[in-house]
Amino acid sequence: MSADAKKAAGELRAQLPEPHGPFLPGDRQRLLKEHLMNEIHQVQVQDRAEKAEAAVRPRRNRAWYAVPVGMVAAGALAFTFLAGPGQGGDTGYHYSAAPVVKVEVASADGVGALMENVAQHAAERPATRVGKNQFVYVRSHYSNMQADVGNPLRLKTYYRESWTSQNPEKVRSRLKQPGDDIIWSAPRAGDQGYLEDLRNQTYASLQALPTDPDALLKKLRADAAYSGSSDQWLFEYVGGLIRENILPPETGAAVYRAAAKIPGVVVVEKAQDGDGRPGVALARTDERTHERKELVFDANSYDYLGLRAYLVQDTELGRKGTVTELQAVLDRGVVDSRDETPEK
């Protein structure tokens, strides 16, 4: 890969938001993702060509590239989050080498049964009242991938809080994490794609989604189209709806039943969220990057616990089992202002 290509990839990585941070316009996000994926593919193709040309050659420094987070593990995972607010320096971030975990067996058998149990649990939950002038609050523990040219993969760990406005045309949302306390900018005139993304995250818009799983899957595929046309994009779009929202009971049940219909999804019986809490996961592996993303649910209550992502085979990013992203949901509720947290 040329020096210019490496520089371009680095610049693109710098423009990508943290997971579930302020939205990029849909077309811009898609272009960034596609460009980075092309860069990764070029590295892999070039590497294979070099190996075919010569049996012996001095080993070069590899170029490490971060897969876009918004595109976003197994066995007895000993790794847990190591630092909380105020630790790891003034920023509150903690950096550590990405752990390598055992890649557990995954199977398409049982997908329907698992998601039906999750759906029934969601349908039986009492509906949450979310007013137009309120905010959905979510507090999470995160680790996301940090990749630099010539250096091993690392994870950046931190806490984050989000307040999602239910009236995005007039009231701004808030994102708080170490070093950042952002009031999301209101969309400019003409930014219809950006505004539509914000509208799609409100409780009212989620409540208006189809509750027939097939109809809902068709609608979600259309909504996710700005990120790409693959089933992996669709799976990650659905995961985004689950992670930092409150789903109405009927909508939640339909979302989980629709997720079971996405081609390529599997069940991982031995999974853990980002804080090491055990559960069972609905997962899918990206065919291009070989990264498996797992949506982890409690095996008894079927509550959503968090996310775990890792490589299922050796790639340019790292060896098989290398963790690339972690999330654990710690708190979720409805509040009246951007300065409140749910009452305990």
Side-chain angles (χ1 to χ4, degrees):
M1 175 178 286
S2 68
D4 288 343
K6 292 178 182 177
K7 180 180 178 182
E11 292 173 349
L12 285 168
R13 284 197 305 275
Q15 297 179 53
L16 288 168
E18 297 291 348
H20 317 302
F23 292 99
L24 285 174
D27 57 348
R28 180 62 173 159
Q29 186 180 66
R30 176 179 55 79
L31 288 173
L32 288 170
K33 290 175 181 176
E34 290 180 354
H35 192 118
L36 272 171
M37 292 309 304
N38 287 336
E39 294 292 346
I40 293 170
H41 180 67
Q42 287 176 25
V43 170
Q44 294 170 335
V45 170
Q46 180 177 337
D47 186 59
R48 288 193 294 267
E50 290 173 352
K51 289 178 180 177
E53 289 173 4
V56 179
R57 174 178 292 186
R59 185 170 179 84
R60 304 182 302 139
N61 287 332
R62 295 277 182 205
W64 297 78
Y65 291 94
V67 178
V69 195
M71 280 178 40
V72 229
L77 178 59
F79 176 83
T80 56
F81 289 102
L82 302 177
Q87 298 177 344
D90 293 338
T91 63
Y93 292 124
H94 174 81
Y95 293 88
S96 61
V100 178
V101 299
K102 178 183 177 182
V103 177
E104 294 284 354
V105 174
S107 173
D109 295 338
V111 166
L114 169 64
M115 298 317 289
E116 183 59 31
N117 286 335
V118 176
Q120 290 181 10
H121 167 72
E124 292 168 359
R125 295 178 66 93
T128 302
R129 297 186 61 181
V130 186
K132 187 175 182 179
N133 296 317
Q134 291 184 302
F135 300 81
V136 169
Y137 171 87
V138 178
R139 182 172 181 262
S140 298
H141 215 178
Y142 255 106
S143 279
N144 63 287
M145 183 169 56
Q146 302 292 296
D148 301 308
V149 174
N151 294 314
L153 195 66
R154 297 187 302 162
L155 291 183
K156 179 171 73 171
T157 299
Y158 56 98
Y159 289 90
R160 59 177 272 133
E161 297 172 281
S162 65
W163 290 260
T164 302
S165 170
Q166 300 302 294
N167 189 6
E169 296 184 38
K170 295 183 179 180
V171 182
R172 299 179 183 183
S173 299
R174 180 185 182 190
L175 171 66
K176 184 179 180 181
Q177 57 192 37
D180 293 310
D181 194 346
I182 304 167
I183 305 299
W184 296 359
S185 297
R188 299 168 298 179
D191 283 350
Q192 290 304 313
Y194 179 91
L195 182 55
E196 191 63 27
D197 281 335
L198 297 179
R199 288 175 179 148
N200 288 345
Q201 304 300 311
T202 67
Y203 189 88
S205 66
L206 294 170
Q207 199 167 33
L209 288 172
T211 54
D212 174 76
D214 292 316
L216 177 59
L217 191 64
K218 182 177 180 180
K219 173 70 167 62
L220 295 178
R221 189 178 290 277
D223 289 345
Y226 69 82
S227 293
S229 58
S230 75
D231 293 319
Q232 185 66 22
W233 297 130
L234 175 60
F235 178 76
E236 295 187 18
Y237 184 84
V238 170
L241 291 180
I242 296 169
R243 288 194 289 272
E244 289 196 334
N245 284 310
I246 290 179
L247 295 175
E250 290 189 3
T251 302
V255 165
Y256 295 125
R257 290 179 175 124
K261 296 175 176 287
I262 298 174
V265 295
V266 294
V267 169
V268 179
E269 296 288 350
K270 296 181 180 179
Q272 294 183 8
D273 73 354
D275 267 3
R277 296 177 296 190
V280 59
L282 181 73
R284 195 179 191 285
T285 298
D286 191 318
E287 297 88 348
R288 293 184 299 174
T289 64
H290 308 292
E291 180 191 36
R292 178 191 285 174
K293 289 207 171 182
E294 299 178 345
L295 304 176
V296 183
F297 300 89
D298 185 279
N300 296 312
S301 70
Y302 298 109
D303 287 330
Y304 174 74
L305 298 178
L307 168 76
R308 181 168 66 173
Y310 53 95
L311 302 175
V312 296
Q313 68 180 57
D314 295 345
T315 75
E316 293 290 336
L317 282 172
R319 54 183 285 207
K320 178 180 178 180
T322 299
V323 174
T324 57
E325 185 180 0
L326 295 166
Q327 181 215 20
V329 174
L330 305 178
D331 197 8
R332 192 190 302 260
V334 180
V335 294
D336 294 327
S337 79
R338 292 185 301 241
D339 299 316
E340 294 183 19
T341 59
E343 294 182 0
K344 301 298 182 182

